[in-house]
Amino acid sequence: MSYPYQITSLKHYQEEYKRSVDTPEEFWADIANHFTWHRKWDQVLDWNFYEPRIEWFKGGKLNITENCLDRWVETQPNATAIIWEPNDPSEPHRTFTYKELHHKVCQFANVLKSNGATRGDRICIYMPMVPELTIAILACARIGAIHSVVFGGFSAQSIADRIQDAQCNIVLTADGGFRGNKSIPLKAVIDEALTTCPSVEKVIVLTRTSVPVSMIKGRDVWWEDEINKVEAQGNPICKAEIMDAEDLLFILYTSGSTGKPKGVVHTCGGYMVWTNYTFVNVFQYQPGQVHFCTADIGWVTGHSYIIYGPLSAGATSLMFEGIPTWPDAGRFWEIVDKHAVDILYTAPTAIRSLMSFGTDPIKGKKLHSLKVLGTVGEPINEEAWHWYDEHIGKRNCPIVDTWWQTETGGVLISNLAGITKAKPSFATLPLPGIQPVLVDENGKKIEGNGVSGNLCIQFPWPGMLRTTFGDHERCRTTYFSTYENLYFTGDGCLRDNEGDYRITGRVDDVLNVSGHRIGTAEVENAINMHTGVVESAVVGYPHDIKGQGIYAYVIFNGIHIDENQTRLDISQTVSKIIGAIAKPDKIQFVSGLPKTRSGKIMRRILRKIAEGELANLGDTSTLLDPLVVEEIKSNKL
Ligand code: PRX
């Protein structure tokens, strides 16, 4: 097995990049030809960014799971598809060959069918990081059902919002999940969510923590019992549903600057080609290597680089149930040695957190197997980059800094491991097919090097989002209307004198906390749900480990017991409404918020104060009540 479309040198990259821009349709058809299709496409690409309408491999028929499983069962049935490392290091790990994974996926696909699932259904998955999560996702894809995975840290309210938005009829969950020394009561959270979700008819519950759970007659069934039933029927095969290239593969909810999270939609053909192509090229994956992506499958990184990218490439993908710091801060390194990991792909926040423990947890760890390191999710500061390079890569492993988004399906800007040069804190160069442009606030393209602007992409790529579920207009206004005929990323970006790209962070009201996207409006709405809160404003501030922390300014009507207790109550409210990941790090009580005469909150001023830049707040004379700024400054936390 090898990848005919793997880029092998800098010159080769330059040639491929040029070809992808000059003749994109030929370029992508050549790559797509290496996959299993039931019918080839009539047209490679049909698009406009006005509506927007983006169609790749139009008329093509396929099932992504045949590309992730069946074709490898034919050529390498006993190759390892998944290595699963449990939360507790004393529990045995599990491995699945391609043949075994295929069998499990077929089996669970039959369970889904026997529970009434059909093509086009939306299925919500709220599960811990166990192999059955991967099996569940692939089983949905097998039968043409659309999966909507919700991260295990989200609250009942957040799950209910997502289930209602997608009108899911089935939920897949577990009794609970392990993370570090915590046990998370997933089924209890689902039960709470489902009190407001009449569309849900079936809940299939996996046993993981063996905590007692309530099982509602007619609605809730045990995973294991259902497997036994389909086994007793003796049909181990589930034929793959033949999908159109543009049929929906999954929905994944993500935060924006306004309103509730939106359901980003990815489709079967383009997403498959894009995740595979980027996986093979960015990480320079070689057959037989072990790829360890530390993300949770609840986020897009897990979808693309634990499941679809690696498995569609016949790779060995390692999934880890736990957290990097439990039982101690050497856990990642222990896993690397235990499973001879070749490629480690993690987030800057994890690196910074592990850095804070010093080098003791690395002592005695060999890390000899590592060949490539990667980062994703947020800008990586140079200090963390060098620590990763020196202590983990031993200055011998290229680091790929991969910039992308839930909406982009896979990596858009990154160096290619060992092929194109790395530059600390730079994502560097666009992948073939990606045409980045920088624009100023008026939408004017900024040409040349040594410039900064808002990052847009001017041509479609196969893995891009197609719509936001149930609300195409929202997709248009969010991504395609800010600048005419461009996809707007929401990120600020520098193109340096050598033409390398460095992503500088969001330019909208979206925070990036520990690599997770959180909309300030969402956090404010949650804070405002607390009975005593009159109004609030949320901004980000630099945080040593998390990258960004959440700073909330809150107008509160009567402190109950004491300020700290009220802070805890507000945090608890946010946790209940969104999930613990959105809890504010700092809550400052204020008597008013700086507003313009038209009533708009001046976040720029609040951001500066939170960042500690008290001296240079700019002109505050146009504010409704300039004095409030003085009060906020003097009480800064
Ligand atoms: O601001 C960018 C940042 O994360 C955002 C996307 O978040 P999400 O959709 O949750 O996907 C995260 C995993 C792909 C981007 O708009 N971001 C992601 N990767 C990088 C990054 N910022 C700088 N450098 C990166 N490598």
Side-chain angles (χ1 to χ4, degrees):
M1 179 185 60
S2 68
Y3 310 103
Y5 43 85
Q6 193 166 48
I7 293 167
T8 53
S9 66
L10 174 61
K11 185 162 166 283
H12 189 197
Y13 160 75
Q14 288 159 342
E15 289 162 2
E16 290 293 88
Y17 186 80
K18 184 169 186 313
R19 206 161 69 81
S20 77
V21 173
D22 293 345
T23 52
E25 299 203 19
E26 266 173 53
F27 181 86
W28 288 110
D30 282 353
I31 292 161
N33 269 323
H34 294 286
F35 292 77
T36 301
W37 299 83
H38 283 267
R39 180 181 185 275
K40 291 275 172 77
W41 47 92
D42 302 313
Q43 192 180 353
V44 177
L45 172 63
D46 191 9
W47 71 289
N48 72 67
F49 278 175
Y50 297 106
E51 294 174 63
R53 185 165 52 81
I54 298 118
E55 293 172 286
W56 281 93
F57 311 113
K58 206 170 165 174
K61 305 256 183 221
L62 78 158
N63 186 292
I64 196 169
T65 70
E66 291 184 320
N67 286 277
C68 290
L69 300 170
D70 301 58
R71 65 168 166 161
W72 307 121
V73 173
E74 270 172 39
T75 57
Q76 46 166 36
N78 299 320
T80 305
I82 299 282
I83 300 172
W84 174 73
E85 175 66 22
N87 179 61
D88 182 344
S90 64
E91 185 182 339
H93 69 273
R94 293 164 70 190
T95 61
F96 297 80
T97 64
Y98 273 91
K99 194 168 158 210
E100 288 163 344
L101 187 62
H102 177 266
H103 171 69
K104 295 270 182 200
V105 169
C106 283
Q107 203 178 43
F108 195 68
N110 284 333
V111 166
L112 289 175
K113 280 189 184 168
S114 66
N115 279 279
T118 54
R119 179 181 180 133
D121 284 353
R122 274 82 56 212
I123 298 187
C124 173
I125 305 182
Y126 186 68
M127 288 179 67
M129 282 285 286
V130 290
E132 287 76 9
L133 168 55
T134 299
I135 292 165
I137 286 175
L138 293 170
C140 288
R142 187 83 176 169
I143 65 166
I146 300 157
H147 54 80
S148 167
V149 181
V150 178
F151 172 62
F154 277 118
S155 68
Q157 179 66 51
S158 294
I159 301 164
D161 288 345
R162 286 159 173 76
I163 290 178
Q164 288 163 8
D165 186 73
Q167 286 293 295
C168 298
N169 59 342
I170 297 181
V171 173
L172 310 178
T173 190
D175 49 359
F178 296 120
R179 266 176 78 79
N181 57 9
K182 291 200 191 109
S183 162
I184 297 144
L186 298 173
K187 176 61 166 62
V189 179
I190 285 292
D191 286 340
E192 190 185 334
L194 294 192
T195 57
T196 56
C197 299
S199 62
V200 174
E201 290 156 9
K202 271 271 143 62
V203 181
I204 305 180
V205 189
L206 178 81
T207 307
R208 174 65 186 131
T209 56
S210 298
V211 290
V213 295
S214 84
M215 294 292 283
I216 306 294
K217 192 181 284 167
R219 189 193 73 181
D220 301 351
V221 292
W222 287 108
W223 187 295
E224 298 79 10
D225 293 350
E226 296 305 296
I227 295 279
N228 288 341
K229 278 191 218 159
V230 300
E231 279 206 329
Q233 287 159 5
N235 178 13
I237 293 299
C238 174
K239 260 186 82 185
E241 187 76 18
I242 299 174
M243 309 299 287
D244 285 336
E246 282 300 334
D247 276 337
L248 273 63
L249 174 65
F250 68 85
I251 306 170
L252 189 57
Y253 284 84
T254 189
S255 296
S257 47
T258 52
K260 288 197 167 161
K262 47 196 172 298
V264 168
V265 167
H266 286 288
T267 57
C268 299
Y271 176 81
M272 169 182 76
V273 171
W274 188 250
T275 51
N276 178 292
Y277 180 78
T278 52
F279 171 72
V280 163
N281 281 299
V282 170
F283 302 104
Q284 287 290 305
Y285 184 82
Q286 305 301 318
Q289 289 187 335
V290 175
H291 175 77
F292 177 17
C293 166
T294 71
D296 192 288
I297 289 173
W299 309 105
V300 74
T301 309
H303 282 58
S304 300
Y305 298 110
I306 295 179
I307 300 187
Y308 289 112
L311 297 181
S312 69
T316 301
S317 181
L318 192 153
M319 75 185 273
F320 171 43
E321 185 184 31
I323 57 171
T325 49
W326 192 84
D328 59 54
R331 189 69 197 279
F332 274 0
W333 324 130
E334 187 194 301
I335 295 172
V336 167
D337 281 355
K338 179 174 172 187
H339 298 292
V341 168
D342 295 273
I343 305 169
L344 176 70
Y345 188 31
T346 194
T349 189
I351 298 169
R352 287 191 301 264
S353 150
L354 294 172
M355 245 172 91
S356 73
F357 290 86
T359 49
D360 271 1
I362 307 170
K363 292 212 174 95
K365 309 290 190 313
K366 295 196 181 66
L367 306 179
H368 287 339
S369 57
L370 286 173
K371 312 226 169 26
V372 172
L373 303 176
T375 74
V376 60
E378 51 178 319
I380 180 162
N381 47 314
E382 293 203 26
E383 195 192 352
W385 194 99
H386 286 294
W387 188 88
Y388 201 28
D389 182 38
E390 190 178 328
H391 297 288
I392 307 308
K394 317 285 183 200
R395 296 220 169 92
N396 216 3
C397 301
I399 299 177
V400 288
D401 178 349
T402 67
W403 172 82
W404 58 296
Q405 310 177 296
T406 305
E407 294 84 347
T408 69
V411 178
L412 258 49
I413 303 182
S414 173
N415 49 319
L416 310 181
I419 301 287
T420 63
K421 74 172 184 314
K423 198 186 262 190
S425 82
F426 280 75
T428 71
L429 295 174
L431 263 64
I434 301 306
Q435 302 182 29
V437 292
L438 301 184
V439 297
D440 65 20
E441 55 277 20
N442 303 316
K444 196 168 163 306
K445 282 186 195 165
I446 307 170
E447 309 282 351
N449 288 341
V451 292
S452 294
N454 289 347
L455 177 62
C456 295
I457 316 287
Q458 66 176 2
F459 194 83
W461 63 100
M464 72 185 298
L465 89 162
R466 302 301 197 258
T467 187
T468 45
F469 191 80
D471 191 352
H472 191 63
E473 179 57 14
R474 188 156 179 214
C475 172
R476 193 186 69 77
T477 52
T478 311
Y479 306 106
F480 298 93
S481 72
T482 317
Y483 305 113
E484 200 182 355
N485 222 4
L486 296 174
Y487 165 80
F488 177 42
T489 64
D491 280 328
C493 182
L494 159 80
R495 185 167 54 222
D496 75 357
N497 289 328
E498 294 178 291
D500 287 316
Y501 290 86
R502 172 192 209 160
I503 313 301
T504 47
R506 303 289 304 194
V507 294
D508 51 7
D509 289 324
V510 170
L511 307 180
N512 191 326
V513 180
S514 302
H516 300 319
R517 238 160 99 167
I518 300 173
T520 51
E522 234 186 300
V523 182
E524 287 164 8
N525 290 342
I527 291 174
N528 297 349
M529 295 288 278
H530 187 288
T531 47
V533 173
V534 178
E535 198 179 2
S536 63
V538 163
V539 297
Y541 72 98
H543 187 288
D544 283 351
I545 307 276
K546 297 179 176 186
Q548 267 191 314
I550 302 180
Y551 197 116
Y553 298 91
V554 175
I555 306 177
F556 199 85
N557 175 0
I559 303 291
H560 175 66
I561 304 184
D562 67 40
E563 280 198 358
N564 277 338
Q565 184 63 40
T566 302
R567 285 194 180 96
L568 292 175
D569 291 348
I570 292 173
S571 284
Q572 187 58 27
T573 310
V574 174
S575 210
K576 201 74 190 157
I577 303 289
I578 306 177
I581 52 170
K583 276 189 192 175
D585 297 277
K586 293 185 180 177
I587 298 176
Q588 179 179 346
F589 294 110
V590 296
S591 67
L593 292 167
K595 287 187 178 170
T596 60
R597 298 225 161 84
S598 61
K600 202 171 153 286
I601 297 175
M602 294 286 283
R603 285 165 193 289
R604 183 178 50 79
I605 293 176
L606 292 175
R607 220 175 282 132
K608 285 229 160 124
I609 296 175
E611 285 166 1
E613 279 190 49
L614 302 183
N616 183 20
L617 294 182
D619 183 12
T620 55
S621 63
T622 56
L623 292 177
L624 203 56
D625 177 10
L627 282 182
V628 82
V629 176
E630 294 309 313
E631 178 214 297
I632 295 177
K633 265 166 69 175
S634 58
N635 294 331
K636 179 192 167 330
L637 298 174

